[in-house]
Amino acid sequence: MAPKSPELYNLKTTAIYFAAASILLLLGLVGMVLQDSIRDWKGYQREFIDYSREKTQKEIETARAKIDQNKLKQLHTEFETAQIQIKAHQQEIKQLEKEVTRLELECKKTRTAYQDLKQVQDSDRYFFEDDREHHKQHEAAQYEARLKLQEPKLTDLKLKVEQAEASRDETQAQLDKFLAAQKNADAEMAKLTLDVTRFEKKFESLKPNFFKSLLDAPMLDFLKPSLRIQQVVLENLEDDFYFVRAKKVDRCITCHLGIDQKGLEGAPVPFKSHPRLDLFVSADSPHPVETFGCTVCHGGSGHSANFVTTAHTPHDEKQKKEWEKKYAWKEMEHAPEKMISLKHAEASCAKCHNGVVDVPQAPKLNEGRRLAETFGCFNCHKVAGVERWKVGPSLLNVQSKLEQDWIVRWLKNPKEFRPSTKMPRVFHLSNTSDEASVEKSAVAIAGIATYLIKNSGSVSLLSPPVKGDPEKGKKQMEALGCLGCHTANGKAANNHGPELSNLGSKVTPDWLYTWLKDPKHYSPSTRMPSLRLSNEEASNITRYLLTQRDQNFESSRLPHIKAENVDDLALTFLSGEMRRADARKQLDQMNQEQRLEYIGKKSISHQGCFSCHAIKGFETTKPIGTELTEEGSKDVRKLDFGFVHLEHDRASWFFQKLKEPRIFDEGKDKTYHDKLRMPQFDMTDEQAQSLTTFLLSLQKAHIPQEMHKNLNLKEAQVEEGRLLVRKLNCQGCHTVDGVEGRIRSITEDLGKAPPVINGEGKKVQPQWLFQFLHEPAAIRPWLNVRMPTFDFSDTELTTLVDYFQNLDHVPPSYNTSHAKPPAEMMAAGHELFQKFQCIKCHKAEPQPGLSASFLAPNLLMAKSRLRPEWVVEWLKDPQILQEGTMMPTFFAEKQSPLPDVLGGDYVKQSEALRDYLWEFTPEEARIIEQPAPSKAAAKTVT
Amino acid sequence: MKNTLKWLACLSLNLMLSLPLFAGTVTGKVNFTGTAPEPEAISMDADPVCAGAHEEPQMTEEVVVNPDNTLKNVFVYVKTGLEGQTFPAPTTPVVMDQKGCHYNPHVFGVQVGQPVQIVNSDSTLHNVHGMPTKSKEFNLGMPIQGMKLNKKFDAPEIGAKFKCDVHPWMNAYAGVTDHPFYSVTGDSGTYEIKDLPPGKYTLEAWQEKYGAKTQEITVTDAAQTADFTFAG
């Protein structure tokens, strides 16, 4: 027996191993291919195809229902009749068709012969000209002869071509006659069923078939799949991958398949059309998807094509739960750009729309920005590019206005005295409500009051010269227009200025009287304008406002100050400046008053009071809040969530911070000095939401300049004006720039409301406007509301005049005079002026005892105030320029009631009236205003 | 027998079809209880033409109570029950005259699309400031005595106001309907709405100060009465 040859391996076992391994590998491969091929988005695309098919099916049915069946039937009959006719003449038609073919051939033949000869002729002509030029007389003569011979032949051929074409056309026409009826019916039918055919074609293209499935099959889907990733590549925008920047790619449309289509408003998500196709996505909108993509506004990871990894953000808790269930959604904690929740989507507008007071069509963002101005956010928090002004009153002369005790009571909780105040509560909040903190805060408050009074200048005060009548004061206050800015007497149109309540518990008659007479005397930086009140008016209003008192507030107990707390607080502040031993020494050298003053100064600095109020000693101190210029793109990890259970995203944190600024101290062990300091504004949820949107809009965005909404010079001037108009609350009284004057909502007789000044730029002369804003004077003497004097600087005046002119797109005009009109126009103007009885309402001298609406501006002012071209437009039809005006049109249906003047031409008559007004004098007014003794008047006398 | 049945069916069908041809008339009175606000004298001194037109003091017309305690100038009309029917607008205009610095009539009815002819019989300037809320506002100057202008309303509206800005005491109200079934009470406080097809209707009486009152009525071919009462 031969010895068994040694074997390195067992062939059988090896084969088994191999088989097993290859099966495993194959399975692995199949798994990989499947994993690669099964994608969420393919499911959406299939679903969308099904959805579109169903929709198309419905559309086919609707289109079918719309077809006029009777007409269709009739056309069918026509078609069939025509067909029978054709059959009857089959023989002739065949003959004619043959003939047409023959003639067509004939045409071609003759045309070719003609063209051939023409080419020969062209060539001969070239040689003839060339030879002649080179003085080859003989050759030239030969060519000339040939040309002469060709000419008649060519003419003959041309004629033949025309003849052939004519007979072909004729035969064709004969043929057409037979076929016309059928063709016509066919075309009509096609027209009638056009929609159906279109939808049917679409339906056909959406039908699944074997080839499509094959091309979408794994391994083959690289060829030409019907399901594929859809994307836009944005030339001008970039994605930041930390170390690399690449062109932005948005694949959102892979699943959001109907986003750019009209008519899918009711489709299920994600196939719904964009709700604002007029503004976004569609090609004819200002933000087409090809240029702007999706993620530049919505955020999220545009190159992903999976619900979770694109970093969708739910807009509330309910949606979050729903998503978790439906899509296995989880937060992409480390995604740099999560999608912005839809409720804050407007925040993205500010990436490109800068330098405007309001971003068009972004009400929430605009409201947020307005609130930030109103609450004075910009006073503590720097935001680059935002103009800021101190929103609180100046305290430089506060001792002339307030008692020290009042300040203490006020600081405890401003809302206790005046619930509508915009001054936030600084002390005794959630993180400083423990007993120790309350005691310390009481000392800080006393200190601040001491410091403010001790470091205040004083102004001379006037006393009301008469006692004043409170009843009259109340009426005058409302009539003069104070409610345009202030809430008072329970009437609120505006929260621009402070509510005028309980002033009797706050200020003295002398201070209030002096303030009312000239606000800038007490505070040169105040935004309150002067209403040029008479002594009597100011006395009446002072008396009235001081009748309202808050007894509870006045008698509330002042907090008890413990000496040890004073020392403790002073020492803590001193130790921040020097060594503890020196601090102790320093403290010993101070008396109680000095200690309080020192604590006051330090507390003002610590709490940032000087950010909103002008306070002596803090002229150059930097504001205390965090800079917010790029807050909207701040790393979430840099926001201190403390122990508060919140979604870890910016929006939630901002909202919480705004609603309850000190909440993040909860559960923390901090000293009194280290506690959070942002004060409590008591915002409503809505306000906090708007402000959150605004905060999210403060982003560091890499958007190239050409993608920004760049303002031209005029637009920039308008924006500058808008800011000033907002700062001074012009729209509190006036309707202008698309905003209704707020006081109108509480004005009973709109004839007595401040004038609507839409179109002011077109209406008045710029010089006049400049002068009027500088020194306002009554234009409408029957109005009780009074245009205040704002003491504008020349720059501000120019800004406002430019604003009005640019709003109306009128070029600056230096033309005040109007060329002297011809005598004919003057005479016509005079006649029209008298016959239209203009003076009846436009009196040169106002008459007492008449209703407000009885009067109109004095026309003597017209030539220096109005633009001549505006006057004509106004006269033609005042309602067009100002809807609801009391000025009637005298040319109903463009017809003049006086057909004899200037041929009855209403435009010419308007011009004549304007011309007359430019020559109108006080003497003329007096003559016309003399009441002519009328018959009727004579009757009453007798 | 069969024929008789057919004949009967025919007859009843005819009857049903021709029934709306019989139409009812609704009449009634608008009573007033309580005390009306004292009419105020109007001072027309501002315009001598107006003042000279009257020898007696002129009173406001907001509430005019007739001697028999009925109310004048109440607009009574069919508010609901005519839906789906259209009534062509008459081409003859409703005339509103400005005479002696008053609008005459003070309250009137007009159908949508029917012209309102506004006349100025005074030798002074009037402006007719129509302030409807459902149709376009207009404001026409009428400086020439005897001048006439036509205006139409585009939509139904009860109490469309007219005023004169030159003479603030002047005002008038139009009841604009899309059918001809309306009436205005006069010196006797009665109204009459004719030719109303049988059916169920809501009738409304509208007064400029006291607002509207409604009543359900069923019209057959017999005459109907429906009275209203306003309280001061």
Side-chain angles (χ1 to χ4, degrees):
Chain A
M1 195 178 157
K4 230 180 178 183
S5 63
E7 282 176 342
L8 280 173
Y9 48 83
N10 185 324
L11 208 62
K12 204 175 163 192
T13 334
T14 317
I16 290 170
Y17 281 137
F18 260 113
S22 56
I23 287 169
L24 271 176
L25 275 173
L26 183 69
L27 286 178
L29 185 69
V30 170
M32 272 163 65
V33 168
L34 282 181
Q35 199 205 5
D36 187 54
S37 145
I38 297 171
R39 297 288 178 95
D40 286 356
W41 58 266
K42 287 189 183 168
Y44 287 121
Q45 295 200 344
R46 279 195 198 99
E47 238 177 78
F48 185 66
I49 291 172
D50 290 346
Y51 177 78
S52 307
R53 219 174 43 226
E54 272 167 37
K55 192 165 171 266
T56 315
Q57 180 70 48
K58 273 184 206 143
E59 279 165 341
I60 292 174
E61 279 158 25
T62 343
R64 270 212 189 113
K66 268 192 199 154
I67 294 176
D68 185 345
Q69 287 300 337
N70 287 339
K71 199 172 171 198
L72 193 65
K73 223 177 245 171
Q74 192 195 331
L75 286 173
H76 258 297
T77 331
E78 272 173 35
F79 187 83
E80 274 158 19
T81 328
Q83 230 163 8
I84 292 166
Q85 281 290 321
I86 290 171
K87 257 189 194 155
H89 297 272
Q90 216 166 11
Q91 223 39 37
E92 281 168 272
I93 291 170
K94 254 193 195 148
Q95 202 61 39
L96 281 169
E97 274 170 350
K98 255 188 205 160
E99 188 67 11
V100 168
T101 327
R102 191 186 63 78
L103 287 169
E104 188 60 47
L105 208 68
E106 185 67 30
C107 278
K108 268 188 194 146
K109 252 194 230 161
T110 44
R111 210 179 295 129
T112 319
Y114 170 77
Q115 279 164 350
D116 285 352
L117 190 63
K118 186 90 174 66
Q119 273 172 11
V120 174
Q121 190 198 35
D122 286 347
S123 141
D124 286 354
R125 182 172 287 130
Y126 167 77
F127 288 119
F128 162 64
E129 286 167 353
D130 193 53
D131 289 345
R132 194 171 57 181
E133 182 65 22
H134 294 98
H135 305 294
K136 296 183 186 162
Q137 305 294 351
H138 179 63
E139 284 89 341
Q142 266 185 356
Y143 279 117
E144 196 173 12
R146 281 180 63 162
L147 281 171
K148 269 205 182 120
L149 272 177
Q150 281 158 0
E151 200 55 49
K153 274 189 200 163
L154 210 58
T155 324
D156 188 38
L157 275 174
K158 175 91 186 157
L159 204 70
K160 271 190 184 154
V161 171
E162 281 168 8
Q163 273 168 359
E165 279 173 354
S167 52
R168 179 205 57 190
D169 290 347
E170 203 179 306
T171 322
Q172 182 70 49
Q174 279 174 19
L175 184 62
D176 285 349
K177 236 189 242 167
F178 285 113
L179 300 177
Q182 191 195 18
K183 253 193 196 166
N184 210 4
D186 199 33
E188 283 292 312
M189 275 197 285
K191 221 173 154 188
L192 205 62
T193 54
L194 184 70
D195 281 347
V196 176
T197 326
R198 196 159 53 91
F199 288 129
E200 275 172 348
K201 260 190 200 157
K202 189 176 164 194
F203 186 74
E204 208 51 44
S205 73
L206 289 167
K207 261 190 182 164
N209 64 30
F210 175 70
F211 279 109
K212 277 190 204 166
S213 330
L214 194 67
L215 287 170
D216 288 330
M219 305 288 282
L220 293 176
D221 56 4
F222 67 96
L223 285 168
K224 193 181 174 283
S226 67
L227 308 178
R228 64 189 136 202
I229 297 252
Q230 312 273 342
Q231 63 181 25
V232 282
V233 181
L234 305 163
E235 293 300 320
N236 290 323
L237 296 167
E238 290 179 328
D239 266 329
D240 189 352
F241 296 102
Y242 290 115
F243 302 106
V244 188
R245 302 182 144 271
K247 270 183 195 164
K248 203 180 223 333
V249 176
D250 278 351
R251 295 179 168 161
C252 314
I253 48 174
T254 303
C255 299
H256 291 276
L257 288 150
I259 202 76
D260 59 343
Q261 294 176 23
K262 268 186 197 138
L264 288 178
E265 290 77 14
V269 183
F271 308 135
K272 235 180 163 166
S273 37
H274 195 283
R276 292 301 301 271
L277 283 175
D278 56 329
L279 278 180
F280 305 102
V281 183
S282 92
D284 50 0
S285 74
H287 309 96
V289 72
E290 290 78 14
T291 324
F292 291 90
C294 312
T295 54
V296 74
C297 297
H298 289 284
S301 158
H303 47 267
S304 300
N306 166 284
F307 189 85
V308 179
T309 54
T310 41
H312 281 91
T313 302
H315 62 69
D316 58 20
E317 200 58 29
K318 195 179 145 210
Q319 191 171 50
K320 186 182 151 192
K321 291 256 162 66
E322 206 181 300
W323 283 6
E324 280 168 347
K325 216 165 141 194
K326 201 167 165 192
Y327 308 108
W329 180 85
K330 63 181 193 312
E331 194 165 348
M332 295 296 289
E333 291 218 22
H334 302 293
E337 276 301 323
K338 270 182 256 182
M339 235 174 268
I340 193 162
S341 162
L342 280 181
K343 62 187 171 197
H344 298 303
E346 285 172 16
S348 301
C349 305
K351 280 185 181 170
C352 304
H353 290 266
N354 335 101
V356 290
V357 176
D358 281 333
V359 176
Q361 312 265 7
K364 198 167 176 186
L365 172 66
N366 295 337
E367 175 64 3
R369 154 106 194 229
R370 195 191 64 78
L371 285 169
E373 267 167 28
T374 313
F375 284 128
C377 304
F378 304 131
N379 285 116
C380 286
H381 301 279
K382 188 179 164 196
V383 175
V386 170
E387 193 189 318
R388 58 166 99 182
W389 53 84
K390 288 198 188 294
V391 292
S394 157
L395 303 177
L396 291 173
N397 294 318
V398 71
Q399 64 159 311
S400 297
K401 179 181 178 184
L402 300 171
E403 298 281 332
Q404 191 168 329
D405 287 352
W406 188 90
I407 301 176
V408 172
R409 290 193 169 98
W410 168 257
L411 283 175
K412 245 169 59 190
N413 182 8
K415 291 212 163 57
E416 201 178 299
F417 180 74
R418 187 176 289 156
S420 63
T421 184
K422 278 164 257 165
M423 163 100 174
R425 192 174 182 186
V426 179
F427 297 102
H428 311 317
L429 294 169
S430 65
N431 64 342
T432 51
S433 284
D434 57 295
E435 203 182 322
S437 299
V438 169
E439 281 180 6
K440 277 184 182 155
S441 295
V443 174
I445 290 172
I448 291 173
T450 313
Y451 180 87
L452 289 177
I453 296 292
K454 289 207 125 197
N455 291 276
S456 152
S458 65
V459 293
S460 58
L461 296 180
L462 303 166
S463 295
V466 288
K467 201 175 166 209
D469 177 345
E471 274 310 303
K472 272 191 193 161
K474 182 180 177 187
K475 274 190 196 136
Q476 279 165 338
M477 198 192 81
E478 288 186 14
L480 287 166
C482 303
L483 301 181
C485 289
H486 299 277
T487 296
N489 310 339
K491 292 184 184 171
N494 228 311
N495 63 347
H496 185 71
E499 184 178 347
L500 301 177
S501 60
N502 296 333
L503 285 177
S505 303
K506 184 175 178 184
V507 295
T508 62
D510 287 6
W511 181 84
L512 188 54
Y513 178 80
T514 313
W515 170 258
L516 286 170
K517 287 289 286 182
D518 181 10
K520 295 220 162 40
H521 173 69
Y522 168 76
S523 169
S525 63
T526 182
R527 278 179 283 159
M528 163 111 168
S530 159
L531 273 154
R532 304 184 301 280
L533 298 178
S534 69
N535 293 353
E536 199 201 327
E537 286 165 341
S539 305
N540 290 341
I541 295 173
T542 301
R543 182 86 195 280
Y544 168 66
L545 288 175
L546 293 180
T547 51
Q548 301 169 34
R549 303 184 81 109
D550 180 347
Q551 299 294 354
N552 287 343
F553 180 82
E554 281 179 59
S555 58
S556 67
R557 203 171 54 85
L558 287 169
H560 178 65
I561 310 268
K562 284 186 192 156
E564 75 239 40
N565 279 326
V566 175
D567 293 355
D568 190 32
L569 209 56
L571 200 61
T572 319
F573 280 127
L574 281 168
S575 323
E577 292 178 4
M578 55 192 80
R579 285 195 199 94
R580 187 121 186 128
D582 295 339
R584 170 69 56 195
K585 238 183 257 168
Q586 181 81 24
L587 184 71
D588 290 341
Q589 282 168 18
M590 291 197 250
N591 63 24
Q592 182 74 359
E593 183 96 8
Q594 283 167 329
R595 285 175 191 184
L596 275 175
E597 189 184 340
Y598 174 72
I599 289 170
K601 182 170 185 184
K602 283 303 193 180
S603 295
I604 289 170
S605 169
H606 187 65
Q607 302 291 357
C609 313
F610 60 88
S611 308
C612 291
H613 301 277
I615 299 173
K616 196 178 159 197
F618 292 91
E619 290 77 7
T620 54
T621 319
K622 292 261 177 332
I624 64 162
T626 320
E627 177 168 347
L628 299 179
T629 308
E630 290 175 359
E631 191 72 2
S633 44
K634 192 174 189 171
D635 191 340
V636 182
R637 282 163 294 187
K638 287 187 183 161
L639 300 172
D640 180 7
F641 283 81
F643 298 105
V644 181
H645 294 291
L646 270 185
E647 281 302 317
H648 272 236
D649 59 49
R650 295 181 199 106
S652 309
W653 193 87
F654 292 154
F655 182 79
Q656 193 57 53
K657 181 77 182 169
L658 290 162
K659 283 292 288 179
E660 183 56 64
R662 310 277 175 98
I663 199 166
F664 300 111
D665 267 354
E666 222 169 64
K668 292 200 173 175
D669 183 25
K670 282 183 169 181
T671 64
Y672 181 74
H673 273 83
D674 289 339
K675 290 186 173 175
L676 289 172
R677 284 171 290 168
M678 174 153 151
Q680 172 61 275
F681 288 87
D682 291 319
M683 288 178 199
T684 63
D685 282 1
E686 213 180 4
Q687 288 175 326
Q689 287 288 9
S690 302
L691 268 167
T692 303
T693 304
F694 173 66
L695 283 171
L696 287 169
S697 81
L698 301 172
Q699 290 184 32
K700 185 170 84 178
H702 299 282
I703 308 280
Q705 196 55 40
E706 65 268 25
M707 295 285 283
H708 281 244
K709 165 75 184 152
N710 294 311
L711 304 178
N712 64 30
L713 180 66
K714 284 184 177 170
E715 287 164 338
Q717 283 179 339
V718 166
E719 291 304 328
E720 219 177 301
R722 280 190 176 136
L723 189 65
L724 193 56
V725 162
R726 170 127 106 201
K727 184 175 168 186
L728 299 172
N729 197 30
C730 305
Q731 287 152 338
C733 289
H734 294 289
T735 300
V736 65
D737 202 3
V739 177
E740 194 183 10
R742 287 178 274 273
I743 201 172
R744 294 174 83 86
S745 66
I746 51 166
T747 309
E748 278 165 24
D749 179 1
L750 286 180
K752 288 185 177 174
V756 171
I757 51 171
N758 278 330
E760 190 75 358
K762 255 190 196 135
K763 179 177 180 178
V764 300
Q765 299 167 13
Q767 293 91 328
W768 176 86
L769 187 57
F770 187 95
Q771 200 50 42
F772 175 77
L773 291 170
H774 178 54
E775 274 184 274
I779 301 166
R780 301 169 177 87
W782 67 93
L783 284 185
N784 291 322
V785 279
R786 196 173 292 168
M787 169 78 181
T789 307
F790 284 88
D791 273 331
F792 290 117
S793 68
D794 280 5
T795 322
E796 288 172 321
L797 287 169
T798 314
T799 302
L800 284 172
V801 175
D802 286 347
Y803 162 74
F804 280 112
Q805 298 202 104
N806 288 324
L807 263 189
D808 286 355
H809 308 289
V810 288
S813 157
Y814 304 99
N815 175 23
T816 53
S817 62
H818 179 68
K820 186 143 178 104
E824 184 206 5
M825 289 294 263
M826 278 300 292
H830 180 79
E831 187 184 346
L832 288 165
F833 192 84
Q834 283 203 306
K835 292 222 166 121
F836 286 169
Q837 304 172 50
C838 307
I839 210 91
K840 200 143 212 156
C841 296
H842 294 278
K843 294 199 183 295
E845 290 292 326
Q847 289 180 3
L850 300 180
S851 151
S853 52
F854 192 61
L855 297 162
N858 183 352
L859 291 176
L860 286 167
M861 281 189 294
K863 59 176 165 287
S864 55
R865 173 171 169 246
L866 303 173
R867 284 181 182 251
E869 60 277 12
W870 178 88
V871 176
V872 176
E873 287 310 307
W874 175 253
L875 286 168
K876 274 156 67 180
D877 192 349
Q879 297 287 330
I880 289 179
L881 292 179
Q882 193 180 319
E883 213 180 311
T885 176
M886 275 172 254
M887 168 85 175
T889 172
F890 287 83
F891 309 113
E893 319 280 328
K894 303 188 177 180
Q895 293 292 319
S896 169
L898 296 172
D900 299 337
V901 182
L902 295 172
D905 182 337
Y906 84 110
V907 179
K908 269 195 185 156
Q909 290 192 356
S910 301
E911 285 168 354
L913 271 165
R914 185 266 320 269
D915 291 349
Y916 176 72
L917 284 180
W918 253 250
E919 302 293 325
F920 192 51
T921 57
E923 292 73 47
E924 192 99 11
R926 218 165 296 137
I927 295 166
I928 297 177
E929 234 169 7
Q930 286 296 321
S934 68
K935 264 187 248 160
K939 201 170 92 189
T940 27
V941 174
T942 55
Chain B
M1 185 63 196
K2 225 176 181 183
N3 266 341
T4 328
L5 263 177
K6 254 188 195 168
W7 191 85
L8 267 173
C10 236
L11 182 79
S12 58
L13 196 71
N14 255 332
L15 267 175
M16 266 161 69
L17 285 174
S18 57
L19 209 61
L21 291 178
F22 300 105
T25 300
V26 183
T27 54
K29 210 177 226 187
V30 179
N31 298 309
F32 184 78
T33 58
T35 43
E38 205 55 35
E40 284 173 43
I42 302 165
S43 161
M44 295 192 181
D45 294 346
D47 193 334
V49 177
C50 301
H54 305 280
E55 290 183 9
E56 299 182 351
Q58 293 298 299
M59 298 297 168
T60 49
E61 293 168 289
E62 198 182 17
V63 180
V64 182
V65 182
N66 296 318
D68 58 350
N69 274 333
T70 55
L71 214 47
K72 196 183 168 178
N73 291 334
V74 178
F75 183 72
V76 186
Y77 72 106
V78 174
K79 189 180 185 184
T80 56
L82 291 162
E83 290 77 10
Q85 302 184 53
T86 49
F87 301 92
T91 46
T92 40
V94 177
V95 179
M96 185 179 76
D97 193 6
Q98 301 163 92
K99 197 170 184 187
C101 301
H102 280 296
Y103 285 116
N104 190 16
H106 178 65
V107 173
F108 64 92
V110 62
Q111 220 174 308
V112 173
Q114 181 182 10
V116 180
Q117 189 180 68
I118 307 162
V119 184
N120 182 8
S121 301
D122 289 334
S123 64
T124 187
L125 166 72
H126 284 303
N127 76 315
V128 190
H129 197 160
M131 309 198 319
T133 52
K134 306 263 166 66
S135 305
K136 203 172 157 32
E137 184 172 337
F138 59 88
N139 186 355
L140 310 167
M142 301 186 71
I144 314 292
Q145 190 170 19
M147 217 180 138
K148 288 173 187 164
L149 291 172
N150 279 345
K151 268 284 156 191
K152 283 177 187 170
F153 289 97
D154 312 323
E157 172 178 356
I158 305 305
K161 189 175 178 177
F162 287 79
K163 68 166 185 167
C164 174
D165 297 302
V166 188
H167 307 108
W169 61 84
M170 288 174 70
N171 52 45
Y173 298 89
V176 188
T177 58
D178 49 10
H179 56 71
F181 306 108
Y182 58 78
S183 174
V184 180
T185 61
D187 294 333
S188 61
T190 56
Y191 72 90
E192 183 181 46
I193 297 173
K194 277 185 190 164
D195 301 333
L196 194 56
K200 285 188 171 181
Y201 301 101
T202 309
L203 209 59
E204 184 170 274
W206 176 90
Q207 206 279 339
E208 60 182 284
K209 183 178 166 71
Y210 299 118
K213 286 190 183 301
T214 55
Q215 217 177 109
E216 305 297 322
I217 54 161
T218 308
V219 174
T220 58
D221 48 349
Q224 289 284 313
T225 56
D227 291 350
F228 290 91
T229 305
F230 284 91

